[in-house]
Amino acid sequence: VSHLFENYRRADVAFTHGRGVRLWDTAGREYLDFLAGIATSSLGHAHPRLVGAIAEQAGRYLHVSNLYRIPEQERAADRLVAASGGVLDRVFFCNSGTEANEAAIKLARKWGRRQGEDRFEIVAMHGGFHGRTLGALAATGTPAYHRGFEPLPGGFVHVLFDDLEAVRAAVTERTCAVLVEPVQGEGGVFPIGRQVLEGLAELCRERDLLLVLDEVQTAPGRTGSWFAFQHYGVVPDVVCCAKGLGGGVPVGAVLARDEVAAHLRPGEHGSTFGGNALASTAVETVLEVIEEEGLLERVRRSGERLAAGLLKLATSSGRIRAVRGLGLMCAIDLEVEAAVLVSRALHNGLVVGAVRPQTVRILPPLVLTEDEVDEGLARLTRALSEVG
Ligand SMILES: Cc1ncc(COP(=O)(O)O)c(C=O)c1O
């Protein structure tokens, strides 16, 4: 009998090791990992550069706390700021996506009160997902995640996703920020419209609001640019990331413009583990490898090939209703239950995930090659032919 909480619905498979996009289980069966630990194993498994860097760091020291300078953390921040194209200046490190959003919420509230007004309300989106701690949960516009955990912190208003006028109508004299995922992930992989995000940025400027982007799932690199906002003509004030940032080592980050970040003063927020030397080394290495191996370009190419293959499969199989995505963040809406396809895919050596009852998502490591795209599509085709 397992002594673990039963808060996850786990498949009865245990992996022993991986290499690149491949995983092997305890029975020696090989799989293509098209889920990457839910958008997290960005460099695939056992990338020699990441393995070497964290082993070397562990041999020097793991943790000293944020009471001291941590050069590894400073270098990781330099790289993240550079990846933002210099439009964001400061970084706060934490340990997960939900913590990044908590920090962003606290920052937005402090900022909203900077001139003595009482602006604390955040407009967020229906179908959004920002994490499981109470603040991030309250920001999450999907009631199913709230049930049983009320009362949640107040100060959040939810409006229709991808609807600029709905946000405009929800802004009041109490509003301090708009929080949105450029591509809704857990909601089912829905990229926001260009005009909507650009309109939101303009609205935020007009009404003196912070534009806070939850890029926990989209950055770094997943959509084919460092940050998803770079596909749009917008400059956000605050950006949260996590998941793929450490390539599997737990780490989250909040990036903000200088004058916004300045509103969290010493003692007002923190994290014991946040940005420790091990996590920071992982971040620095992941960002270096993305750049040196040209992974943004590779994501764009393999993402296009994957989307084209999925569209072809939709036509030939008759079991796919829609294909969506950006870069290596894809979803397919099915005529059948997603859980059934996920299970058949696993049986055929392909790891994918169900994100909605009839939606499967595909989030491979960024190192995915075009040959591996074809191999994954072949396995998915077999799996689809086996579902009723
Ligand atoms: C957009 C987004 N924000 C926040 C989170 C929460 O991140 P974590 O599970 O690391 O706390 C997730 C996780 O799926 C996410 O997709």
Side-chain angles (χ1 to χ4, degrees):
V1 183
S2 165
H3 292 284
L4 297 172
F5 275 30
E6 294 187 339
N7 61 318
Y8 299 110
R9 219 172 276 116
R10 301 176 194 266
D12 190 17
V13 174
F15 299 108
T16 55
H17 64 290
R19 192 87 192 165
V21 177
R22 284 169 212 277
L23 281 168
W24 285 267
D25 71 9
T26 46
R29 283 168 39 91
E30 174 261 350
Y31 301 80
L32 275 171
D33 182 3
F34 272 36
L35 191 58
I38 319 183
T40 293
S41 309
S42 42
L43 302 187
H45 301 283
H47 192 290
R49 284 279 300 282
L50 186 56
V51 171
I54 60 183
E56 197 269 336
Q57 182 62 50
R60 286 192 289 126
Y61 80 116
L62 291 173
H63 182 88
V64 292
S65 90
N66 284 298
L67 297 174
Y68 308 96
R69 280 187 56 195
I70 303 171
E72 295 81 1
Q73 192 183 115
E74 293 172 13
R75 292 200 301 270
D78 290 348
R79 282 226 162 238
L80 267 175
V81 165
S84 81
V87 305
L88 299 159
D89 313 291
R90 299 272 176 170
V91 185
F92 165 77
F93 285 105
C94 52
N95 312 288
S96 66
T98 198
E99 282 179 63
N101 284 313
E102 289 292 333
I105 292 164
K106 286 178 70 177
L107 176 60
R109 286 185 173 188
K110 273 304 297 291
W111 182 87
R113 289 170 168 137
R114 74 197 186 284
Q115 290 165 334
E117 317 119 293
D118 197 24
R119 298 201 290 140
F120 58 86
E121 215 162 68
I122 296 177
V123 180
M125 309 299 147
H126 287 305
F129 185 83
H130 303 293
R132 305 280 192 165
T133 54
L134 289 173
L137 188 61
T140 290
T142 311
Y145 293 112
H146 295 174
R147 223 159 280 138
F149 301 112
E150 300 90 349
L152 297 176
F156 297 92
V157 179
H158 294 102
V159 300
L160 215 58
F161 177 66
D162 207 22
D163 184 340
L164 176 60
E165 292 317 310
V167 178
R168 196 188 303 281
V171 172
T172 70
E173 71 282 359
R174 291 186 306 279
T175 312
C176 65
V178 174
L179 170 63
V180 62
E181 294 159 81
V183 184
Q184 273 196 345
E186 300 304 296
V189 188
F190 290 98
I192 195 167
R194 168 173 298 279
Q195 285 174 345
V196 176
L197 190 58
E198 293 176 1
L200 281 178
E202 205 177 309
L203 175 67
C204 286
R205 240 190 338 269
E206 274 166 22
R207 301 292 303 262
D208 188 33
L209 311 173
L210 292 182
L211 178 61
V212 182
L213 298 183
D214 181 346
E215 295 230 25
V216 164
Q217 205 161 135
T218 47
R222 174 143 303 276
T223 66
S225 57
W226 287 108
F227 294 90
F229 78 76
Q230 291 161 332
H231 293 285
Y232 302 81
V234 301
V235 175
D237 302 293
V238 179
V239 174
C240 297
C241 48
K243 287 192 176 279
L245 183 59
V249 174
V251 60
V254 181
L255 289 83
R257 293 192 297 105
D258 245 334
E259 60 273 30
V260 177
H263 291 278
L264 277 184
R265 303 306 309 154
E268 292 183 337
H269 194 62
S271 162
T272 296
F273 288 123
N276 82 2
L278 183 77
S280 296
T281 295
V283 172
E284 193 188 357
T285 308
V286 165
L287 298 177
E288 262 171 25
V289 170
I290 291 176
E291 185 165 328
E292 288 167 21
E293 296 190 5
L295 295 186
L296 299 180
E297 174 58 26
R298 194 188 298 187
V299 167
R300 287 194 288 271
R301 270 191 284 116
S302 52
E304 272 170 28
R305 192 170 182 91
L306 179 62
L310 290 172
L311 283 168
K312 214 167 121 199
L313 189 55
T315 312
S316 62
S317 76
R319 290 188 175 88
I320 298 177
R321 274 193 277 116
V323 176
R324 286 186 298 281
L326 192 60
L328 284 179
M329 189 169 176
C330 298
I332 49 177
D333 289 339
L334 303 167
E335 297 289 353
V336 292
E337 259 185 69
V340 176
L341 179 61
V342 167
S343 155
R344 289 324 298 166
L346 201 61
H347 189 79
N348 280 281
L350 181 70
V351 180
V352 291
V355 64
R356 300 273 115 188
Q358 290 187 287
T359 306
V360 162
R361 62 172 154 188
I362 302 174
L363 306 163
L366 312 185
V367 295
L368 184 77
T369 64
E370 289 178 82
D371 285 348
E372 287 162 342
V373 169
D374 295 347
E375 212 179 331
L377 283 167
R379 294 184 190 190
L380 186 65
T381 306
R382 273 201 299 281
L384 257 183
S385 73
E386 290 171 14
V387 298

